[in-house]
Amino acid sequence: MNIILLGPPGAGKGTQARRLVDERGMIQLSTGDMLRAARKSGTEMGKVVAEVMDRGDLVTDEIVIGLIEERLTGDQGAGFIFDGFPRTLAQADALGELLERLGQKLGCVIEMQVDDDALVARIVARSTCAQCGESYNDISKPIPADGKCAVCGGTEFIRRADDNEESLKQRLMEYYKKTSPLIGYYYCKGTLRRVDGLADIDTVAAAIGEVLDRDCG
Ligand code: AP5
Ligand code: MG
């Protein structure tokens, strides 16, 4: 089963996607993680996107669709979780075409509903394990007291370059201008489902699990 996690920056897409990977053997396809890996490896594309990401703007459709296309033909596990993709109507159309070409379907699109105040609070408190990418939060999910990542034991934690108030403002603007129209797009296709993203992490995970088991494709 293939699903999309749709929601603004800080909605909890990455957090929930990692749980679905662990608990259900699904494969997380996060365009944000792919772009961060590209900039870290210093490829030409990575250099081009670094500035765009730090500003909080969207990277071009062409680049992200290319990244997703490359990954769709690999291991499909128990299905793909699209995390942070699609983010524009053009990307949504492209995803539909790619899946059709592969004889695959989109099960459902889960909108994680949150409010802007919670997002700002979550994002400024976020850090990520440099080794495995596990996400922590100074308030809701602190780094263990021994200073080691609970998943891999790593001891280095990083804050994202775009996790500052100015970039976040622009990321939210991009979300409302270019990504939120996808809510109507998938509603019309009959695949949109909603969960309360403001609940605690376990409660959100349970709500997503229920959608997947009972009401997704
Ligand atoms: P991307 O990496 O996708 O970032 P984003 O959409 O801004 O979302 P985040 O990763 O910030 O939030 P999240 O929803 O994953 O929340 P998380 O689980 O970490 O994209 C970054 C940039 O790349 C974009 O700005 C753009 O430039 C580019 N890009 C990427 N994809 C693109 C595309 N398709 N097209 C064009 N450009 C693209 O949670 C946040 C924090 O809250 C964590 O600390 C977590 O521990 C905590 N938390 C999570 N859930 C809860 C909860 N229920 N209660 C309390 N705390 C919680
Ligand atoms: Mg994320």
Side-chain angles (χ1 to χ4, degrees):
M1 180 193 308
N2 301 307
I3 65 164
I4 294 172
L5 294 182
L6 181 66
K13 305 180 294 294
T15 302
Q16 297 298 333
R18 287 175 73 91
R19 283 186 70 138
L20 291 169
V21 170
D22 291 345
E23 292 167 10
R24 295 184 181 240
M26 297 177 80
I27 293 183
Q28 177 187 14
L29 295 184
S30 158
T31 39
D33 287 348
M34 292 174 203
L35 291 165
R36 279 183 287 279
R39 63 186 286 180
K40 205 170 161 191
S41 65
T43 58
E44 276 313 305
M45 188 260 279
K47 286 178 201 157
V48 172
V49 301
E51 240 181 81
V52 178
M53 291 176 82
D54 289 352
R55 269 203 315 267
D57 289 334
L58 289 189
V59 172
T60 63
D61 290 335
E62 198 190 357
I63 289 179
V64 289
I65 292 167
L67 286 172
I68 286 288
E69 190 169 8
E70 269 172 34
R71 302 289 272 271
L72 282 185
T73 47
D75 180 12
Q76 298 178 352
F80 293 116
I81 309 153
F82 296 99
D83 161 8
F85 178 90
R87 260 174 147 103
T88 63
L89 291 168
Q91 291 178 24
D93 282 338
L95 177 62
E97 283 161 26
L98 286 170
L99 289 174
E100 200 177 320
R101 222 189 291 155
L102 292 168
Q104 296 246 2
K105 279 174 79 173
L106 186 61
C108 61
V109 177
I110 300 178
E111 183 200 350
M112 304 180 66
Q113 295 185 304
V114 279
D115 67 48
D116 289 359
D117 290 344
L119 300 178
V120 178
R122 279 186 191 179
I123 283 203
V124 295
R126 169 169 57 187
S127 60
T128 309
C129 171
Q131 197 161 289
C132 74
E134 182 69 3
S135 189
Y136 290 96
N137 189 282
D138 300 341
I139 300 154
S140 57
K141 189 182 163 190
I143 294 164
D146 63 1
K148 290 185 182 162
C149 172
V151 175
C152 73
T155 52
E156 196 193 333
F157 299 89
I158 44 177
R159 299 215 183 242
R160 272 171 43 180
D162 58 347
D163 277 355
N164 58 73
E165 242 172 84
E166 202 182 320
S167 305
L168 180 57
K169 219 165 144 192
Q170 181 59 15
R171 283 157 67 194
L172 279 171
M173 186 61 85
E174 290 283 80
Y175 177 79
Y176 289 117
K177 270 196 330 209
K178 298 176 184 166
T179 308
S180 65
L182 297 185
I183 295 168
Y185 176 97
Y186 286 117
Y187 174 78
C188 288
K189 286 184 180 282
T191 47
L192 188 73
R193 307 289 180 268
R194 293 187 162 109
V195 299
D196 175 13
L198 283 176
D200 63 64
I201 293 174
D202 289 341
T203 306
V204 179
I208 291 176
E210 204 170 304
V211 170
L212 295 192
D213 292 336
R214 300 207 188 142
D215 192 22
C216 186

